[in-house]
Amino acid sequence: MAARAVPASANKGAAKIQGDRTLPSRREILACTAAALAAAALPARAGAAAPSLREIGSARGIEVGSAFSGSGSPEYLEILRTHCDVITPEWQIKPHFLKPDRFGPYRFAEADAIRDFCRENGQKLHGHALFWHADAIRWAESGNFSTVKRLYGGFLRDVVAHYADVPSWDVVNEIVEEQTPLRDDFLLSRFGHDFVDFCFRTVHEAAPEARLVVNDYNLSCGESWCDAKRANMLRLLESLLKRGTPVHAVGMQCHLSSRYETSPRAAAEFVRQVADLGLDIYISELDLNDVDFADDVATRDRQVADHYEEFLSAMLANKAVRRVCFWGISDSANWIARGHGEADRKPDPRPVLFDANDEPKPAFDAVRRALEAAPAR
């Protein structure tokens, strides 16, 4: 996950979930995760919506998902069980969290608990993410590509082998820039597309059945920097496919904003171009910063709902869009509502489908309608 729809040059001090978050301690995470998994066995609340988003999406070949940190209220866990096919760990599979020290052990416990939650509820775990500049494993960096292949390749093989049943991976996360084709990161700067191709091939060899994804932000807005980002992403994809790189999908984060214009037309055209390359599209980290919408909650909820319905209707009209994953499907677990990442937000942000008490909002019905209107894949 990353900065929202703002140009990279304006984004140095604000916009990363991982970079700006205050991580809970290991003890807090394990305690919360244990409580969460115990609560997962609770019966569903009376009055739960039927059919669920999961069922509606499944009937059309669209997976519905959410990010999950491993903790939440019993009501929130019920929402995840009921409405989600796919669960994405927020930070628990990111490189530095998993393996901060070359000679230290892997820290698999937190992600293992989320994997167990998925298994218990018939859900898929999405692997996020194997390379990310903001959570780098510096111990695997070197100016010698052979050394990088040995160290970073060992990390990739270890993680993918540990999560052998994961059906999809964000192999690289946020590697494309607006002003330049690739981000100015140590490994990307030195080895460019060779490093990206190496990562994909290594993961593909370790998990030949998994769907492998390039995940990035600023691909859905109407601003000029999003036009540049989309163009650079298309150039990257064309280059990788020409090499025979085993890339299967593009993850569009789609952190929408009331401040920066969302462009369903531009996003849908980008989807068409990606689909023409033979790739799928995953809407991978969907939410909406309502900072410039009305202060009145009822009015704002309608604005948020309308925004979701217009955007998703345009996106889901293309059959190449096969996944819609929220970055926390409830305000009780969403990063904007928790106060991370964005510098500007409402005092009481309401960015996703359920409120802070895990009750559905108009946005839930808007997403349901967009899924119901989507053609079957």
Side-chain angles (χ1 to χ4, degrees):
M1 72 76 3
R4 294 330 102 218
V6 291
S9 60
N11 195 36
K12 301 301 183 186
K16 302 282 178 194
I17 289 182
Q18 284 298 114
D20 287 9
R21 71 168 192 267
T22 301
L23 279 175
S25 70
R26 178 181 175 86
R27 180 178 296 177
E28 289 170 334
I29 292 173
L30 289 172
C32 290
T33 300
L37 294 176
L42 292 176
R45 276 188 297 173
S52 66
L53 298 181
R54 183 178 183 174
E55 293 167 326
I56 296 168
S58 178
R60 287 150 182 81
I62 301 167
E63 297 171 332
V64 178
S66 177
F68 182 39
S69 68
S71 63
S73 68
E75 291 79 14
Y76 182 57
L77 298 176
E78 179 191 326
I79 288 170
L80 295 178
R81 291 199 313 271
T82 301
H83 294 289
C84 296
D85 296 295
V86 180
I87 297 295
T88 302
E90 285 194 63
W91 65 80
Q92 293 85 353
I93 300 183
K94 289 188 170 127
H96 187 263
F97 184 84
L98 273 186
K99 192 79 162 70
D101 179 3
R102 175 183 174 185
F103 300 105
Y106 281 91
R107 303 195 300 180
F108 285 127
E110 289 84 351
D112 285 355
I114 296 173
R115 178 193 58 190
D116 293 344
F117 177 88
C118 292
R119 287 175 173 173
E120 291 168 5
N121 294 291
Q123 296 163 315
K124 299 174 183 177
L125 180 71
H126 175 66
H128 174 79
L130 293 169
F131 173 80
W132 188 36
H133 70 96
D135 203 64
I137 44 174
R138 300 299 179 196
W139 55 263
E141 295 180 347
S142 171
N144 183 306
F145 199 22
S146 295
T147 301
V148 171
K149 288 180 177 180
R150 178 168 55 84
L151 295 178
Y152 215 102
F155 169 80
L156 295 173
R157 286 185 284 269
D158 287 348
V159 175
V160 173
H162 187 85
Y163 297 107
D165 56 350
V166 166
S168 58
W169 287 95
D170 288 335
V171 177
V172 292
N173 186 50
E174 299 175 9
I175 68 169
V176 176
E177 280 280 27
E178 291 85 11
Q179 294 83 9
T180 57
L182 290 180
R183 184 178 291 278
D184 185 20
D185 169 81
F186 184 95
L187 293 173
L188 295 173
S189 296
R190 283 154 182 78
F191 307 114
H193 290 187
D194 288 342
F195 174 70
V196 179
D197 177 75
F198 165 74
C199 289
F200 274 92
R201 290 183 187 275
T202 302
V203 176
H204 182 64
E205 289 169 4
E209 301 302 317
R211 304 291 287 173
L212 307 185
V213 186
V214 177
N215 191 54
D216 223 311
Y217 65 100
N218 278 2
L219 297 171
S220 55
C221 84
E223 308 292 340
S224 60
W225 58 79
C226 290
D227 290 336
K229 183 73 169 267
R230 285 186 285 265
N232 283 337
M233 176 60 78
L234 288 169
R235 281 192 282 270
L236 169 68
L237 297 172
E238 290 165 354
S239 172
L240 294 177
L241 291 171
K242 186 175 181 179
R243 288 169 172 253
T245 306
V247 56
H248 306 120
V250 174
M252 298 177 63
Q253 291 185 8
C254 297
H255 292 282
L256 310 180
S257 174
S258 60
R259 177 155 297 175
Y260 300 99
E261 177 192 5
T262 300
S263 177
R265 180 200 58 78
E269 173 59 17
F270 175 73
V271 165
R272 184 195 65 76
Q273 293 171 303
V274 173
D276 285 349
L277 295 175
L279 303 176
D280 291 337
I281 294 89
Y282 298 158
I283 299 175
S284 57
E285 304 182 16
L286 181 61
D287 52 24
L288 171 56
N289 187 342
D290 56 1
V291 60
D292 284 342
F293 285 158
D295 291 333
D296 174 71
V297 168
T299 302
R300 188 174 2 136
D301 280 354
R302 288 195 298 273
Q303 290 175 300
V304 170
D306 290 346
H307 213 77
Y308 273 124
E309 188 164 7
E310 179 186 16
F311 179 73
L312 283 177
S313 295
M315 298 291 281
L316 296 177
N318 194 309
K319 295 181 180 181
V321 179
R322 297 183 175 273
R323 180 177 294 177
V324 178
C325 185
F326 295 87
W327 203 248
I329 199 170
S330 172
D331 295 345
S332 69
N334 178 267
W335 71 290
I336 297 172
R338 291 199 309 251
H340 296 303
E342 292 283 4
D344 299 313
R345 64 176 64 80
K346 290 284 190 188
D348 58 338
R350 298 171 65 82
V352 278
L353 309 192
F354 296 82
D355 66 18
N357 295 316
D358 297 313
E359 295 293 341
K361 297 183 294 183
F364 174 86
D365 292 320
V367 171
R368 175 182 52 78
R369 290 191 296 270
L371 286 168
E372 288 174 338
R377 274 66 179 143

